Amino acid sequence: MEDSSDHSPARPAGIIAQQIREIAAESKDSARPAKTPFLPDLCGVSALAALVLMGELLALVLVLAVDGLREFSWERLGLVSLTVQWVILPSAALLCRLRPRLAQLPHKLAGGLSFAAVLAVLLLVMGAQQWWQAALSHSPFDYWRFLRDCLLGAICAGVVLRYAYVQQQLHNQQQAELGARIDALQSRIRPHFLFNSMNSLASLIAIDPERAERLVEDLSALFRASLADSRLVPLQQEVALAKRYLAIESLRLGERLRQCWDVDGGLEQAEVPSMLLQPLLENAVLHGVARLREGGEIAVRIKYEGGRLRLAIDNPVPAEMGAEGRQPGNGIAMENIRQRLAAHYGNRFAFTADRDGDRYRVQLQLPVTEGAVRKQLGEETAV
């Protein structure tokens, strides 16, 4: 029993646990889930310092490529550095302002817009530089040199933007995996689920020892999977884990919980993110079947169509739930799954969840490695 005099929640030990708690608090406090950033925050001091350093290194490389080491000119290095920094700093400021909008766009469109913004700054700076040099030397505008400098700058800008994008996606994946870990510890294996399972175990030990032993094994498998690192696992393993979860819930709900599985053959080795089905089924149980006196059937369909893995989970919901069939915890769990899918697949997946009458339906489309799937399907067809 908790001591009521202690108003501060117990904090887990360790830096990782504290970071996990902060991520969970941010996700709960936000009214609408935030989009994952497309590029790093270029307004930060560390990011600006890195950009300035990269600009100076680029200027040094350009001067060495033109003059060589014997005829190295510090004056030329200063002019090239000034030009490079005039491109980098305004571009960083512009991308910093566009960062919230870029997070809401598809990756290809966001990448094109980012490159166009940097290219616009590059053309403006290079044009001003060429015009200024032409005015000082009373010579005509050198269009070929202008085009050469712009092409060289565009190539460098593309390389830097690609590097920034990859770094941000890696950071997004790390944050999503960190959030998935706290979801596994605090949400997926919820305290009430553990307590109910322990109560079921206590009652089964005396009357059905074999079933009690299976319950312990199922709980061990669930906790082992929830504590493991987020990764891609064979579909066969994920389905087996999901069925173990439903078996545990069946001890509490009995005949109220019915399930129907329709899984295409030959998909056993198709890889999906670990702990993908279990939280979806937990939502179906907690926010659907468990709230209905008569219970209901959870239908799970997994198909391979059009080169993609299609998963659908269908469950009944009570009439008093909202039009979208959501409870507060349901929305957070759904967004967590969406973030994990985005970390694994980028924009190559589809995820929808909505209410259709008295049913709530979740549908996913995931890319799969077609080689193993086709091989297994071919073997089954031959048989």
Side-chain angles (χ1 to χ4, degrees):
M1 184 174 179
E2 258 187 297
D3 186 2
S4 59
S5 62
D6 187 5
H7 298 287
S8 61
R11 295 185 61 85
I15 298 176
I16 295 180
Q18 294 176 3
Q19 293 177 345
I20 289 174
R21 182 175 291 276
E22 292 173 0
I23 291 177
E26 290 177 1
S27 64
K28 292 179 181 178
D29 292 341
S30 55
R32 296 182 61 185
K35 299 288 185 179
T36 55
F38 178 77
L39 290 175
D41 184 9
L42 300 179
C43 294
V45 176
S46 58
L48 283 177
L51 287 175
V52 170
L53 179 60
M54 291 175 63
E56 292 301 316
L57 292 176
L58 176 60
L60 180 61
V61 169
L62 293 176
V63 173
L64 287 175
V66 174
D67 294 340
L69 189 59
R70 177 176 298 180
E71 300 179 3
F72 182 82
S73 172
W74 289 99
E75 180 179 357
R76 183 186 295 275
L77 177 62
L79 292 176
V80 174
S81 298
L82 182 63
T83 303
V84 171
Q85 297 302 335
W86 267 106
V87 174
I88 288 178
L89 296 180
S91 298
L94 185 57
L95 291 177
C96 184
R97 295 297 299 270
L98 290 175
R99 191 168 183 254
R101 295 183 178 273
L102 294 176
Q104 300 175 0
L105 299 176
H107 284 199
K108 291 183 179 180
L109 182 58
L113 182 59
S114 303
F115 185 75
V118 176
L119 193 59
V121 175
L122 178 67
L123 292 174
L124 183 62
V125 172
M126 291 301 178
Q129 181 199 40
Q130 291 295 328
W131 175 83
W132 179 65
Q133 289 182 351
L136 289 180
S137 60
H138 301 286
S139 59
F141 191 93
D142 191 349
Y143 288 97
W144 286 108
R145 183 178 179 183
F146 170 74
L147 292 176
R148 182 202 66 184
D149 294 343
C150 289
L151 179 60
L152 183 61
I155 294 173
C156 295
V159 172
V160 173
L161 283 175
R162 176 63 182 176
Y163 172 80
Y165 165 78
V166 171
Q167 289 296 314
Q168 183 60 45
Q169 297 312 305
L170 178 61
H171 177 74
N172 291 344
Q173 182 174 359
Q174 292 173 345
Q175 293 296 92
E177 291 176 355
L178 200 58
R181 179 66 60 84
I182 189 58
D183 188 63
L185 293 173
Q186 293 185 356
S187 179
R188 292 186 186 130
I189 308 299
R190 293 185 172 96
H192 78 86
F193 168 68
L194 178 60
F195 297 150
N196 290 335
S197 301
M198 293 297 101
N199 291 334
S200 300
L201 178 61
S203 62
L204 285 174
I205 289 177
I207 61 176
D208 195 343
E210 288 189 15
R211 201 171 181 184
E213 184 178 353
R214 289 198 301 270
L215 174 58
V216 173
E217 293 175 352
D218 292 340
L219 279 174
S220 299
L222 277 173
F223 275 100
R224 189 181 301 112
S226 68
L227 294 172
D229 293 335
S230 179
R231 64 190 188 280
L232 296 177
V233 299
L235 179 63
Q236 183 180 17
Q237 175 181 330
E238 185 65 15
V239 169
L241 186 67
K243 288 183 177 180
R244 284 191 165 192
Y245 166 75
L246 290 179
I248 295 174
E249 291 288 13
S250 296
L251 294 176
R252 177 172 62 95
L253 299 175
E255 295 182 356
R256 294 172 57 201
L257 175 59
R258 300 178 294 277
Q259 50 183 302
C260 175
W261 290 81
D262 182 10
V263 183
D264 279 352
L267 299 178
E268 290 81 4
Q269 299 305 316
E271 293 187 334
V272 297
S274 61
M275 294 294 287
L276 175 64
L277 292 177
Q278 188 273 334
L280 294 174
L281 292 173
E282 186 172 359
N283 279 333
V285 172
L286 294 181
H287 304 294
V289 175
R291 297 176 181 270
L292 297 171
R293 180 174 300 178
E294 69 280 7
E297 181 181 84
I298 298 177
V300 182
R301 293 178 297 276
I302 304 177
K303 304 290 182 181
Y304 179 72
E305 299 175 356
R308 296 171 70 84
L309 190 66
R310 300 176 185 271
L311 299 90
I313 298 178
D314 189 277
N315 63 273
V317 290
E320 62 270 15
M321 291 183 68
E324 296 182 356
R326 288 189 177 184
Q327 295 289 336
N330 190 357
I332 295 175
M334 292 297 181
E335 179 58 24
N336 183 273
I337 294 171
R338 185 177 285 107
Q339 296 282 349
R340 293 180 61 210
L341 292 175
H344 281 290
Y345 300 112
N347 58 354
R348 297 180 296 123
F349 76 97
F351 179 35
T352 60
D354 51 25
R355 180 170 181 167
D356 183 11
D358 61 347
R359 308 285 295 183
Y360 189 72
R361 185 171 293 107
V362 176
Q363 300 184 56
L364 296 91
Q365 296 183 27
L366 307 177
V368 293
T369 304
E370 297 184 5
V373 174
R374 287 179 176 175
K375 181 179 179 182
Q376 291 190 23
L377 290 177
E379 291 175 354
E380 291 189 356
T381 302
V383 173

